[in-house]
Amino acid sequence: FSYWNNNQYLNYSSPNPITLFIETDRPIYRPGHKVEAKIVAVWRTPQGFRTLRKQPVTFSASDPNGKEFFTQDVDLSEFGSASVDFEIPQGRLLGGYTLNAGCGDGRFHQTTSVHFSVEEYKRPEFEIALKPAAEAWKYDEPVEIEGQATYYFGGPVPDAPVKYRIKRQIYI
């Protein structure tokens, strides 16, 4: 007999001991450019981390619509790393692309992904130069910054609207 109408369950699943770290050589590409990526795979043990060696890694890249255009299987080195490079096809959509990687040892499997952008490059026609701050900035206090916007041919940019965003991020 139970005092509650519903049963109580206790579930436990151990964390996946495989951790993957993936990175690309830069965050923004143009169509036709080559993307270079690297993955490092480590295995969590009670003594710390060790590299996952000689295991296959599957890389796959997809466009903003989720259509896969690149897949390659690569084996991890003795140092637990693998790299891959591929070209972004001409004529694909511009926007946010995803590179996925998956690795496992038979018992455990882990996946990870990294996002990058594909954009057409338009060379800027002007340059903005800001003067250094006269004193230290204080949080939640107004700040005045002076600068100058000039075209590359030398003339000033008259009455240009200015939009800005201040972003604060903690980096560990």
Side-chain angles (χ1 to χ4, degrees), residues 130-171:
L130 300 175
K131 294 180 181 175
E135 57 186 52
W137 299 354
K138 296 179 183 170
Y139 182 73
D140 209 20
E141 293 289 324
V143 176
E144 187 173 312
I145 302 171
E146 292 184 14
Q148 184 175 2
T150 55
Y151 286 109
Y152 280 123
F153 62 80
V157 179
D159 300 324
V162 176
K163 293 183 182 179
Y164 65 92
R165 181 191 314 186
I166 298 175
K167 186 175 177 183
R168 184 174 140 170
Q169 180 177 350
I170 298 174
Y171 180 77

Side-chain angles (χ1 to χ4, degrees), residues 57-172:
V57 178
T58 302
F59 287 95
S60 64
S62 55
D63 65 14
N65 285 337
K67 293 186 180 180
E68 201 171 278
F69 64 91
F70 169 80
T71 302
Q72 185 175 354
D73 291 330
V74 181
D75 287 335
L76 291 170
S77 71
E78 291 188 26
F79 301 107
S81 67
S83 62
V84 69
D85 58 68
F86 59 93
E87 188 175 301
I88 299 169
Q90 295 282 353
R92 288 271 176 175
L93 289 173
L94 303 177
Y97 280 60
T98 305
L99 176 63
N100 299 304
C103 180
D105 72 338
R107 295 174 297 161
F108 297 99
H109 186 80
Q110 184 66 280
T111 59
T112 189
S113 63
V114 64
H115 303 283
F116 59 91
S117 296
V118 175
E119 305 291 340
E120 286 290 346
Y121 178 74
K122 181 181 175 191
R123 184 180 172 96
E125 300 173 359
F126 59 90
E127 175 183 35
I128 298 174
L130 300 175
K131 294 180 181 175
E135 57 186 52
W137 299 354
K138 296 179 183 170
Y139 182 73
D140 209 20
E141 293 289 324
V143 176
E144 187 173 312
I145 302 171
E146 292 184 14
Q148 184 175 2
T150 55
Y151 286 109
Y152 280 123
F153 62 80
V157 179
D159 300 324
V162 176
K163 293 183 182 179
Y164 65 92
R165 181 191 314 186
I166 298 175
K167 186 175 177 183
R168 184 174 140 170
Q169 180 177 350
I170 298 174
Y171 180 77
I172 296 177

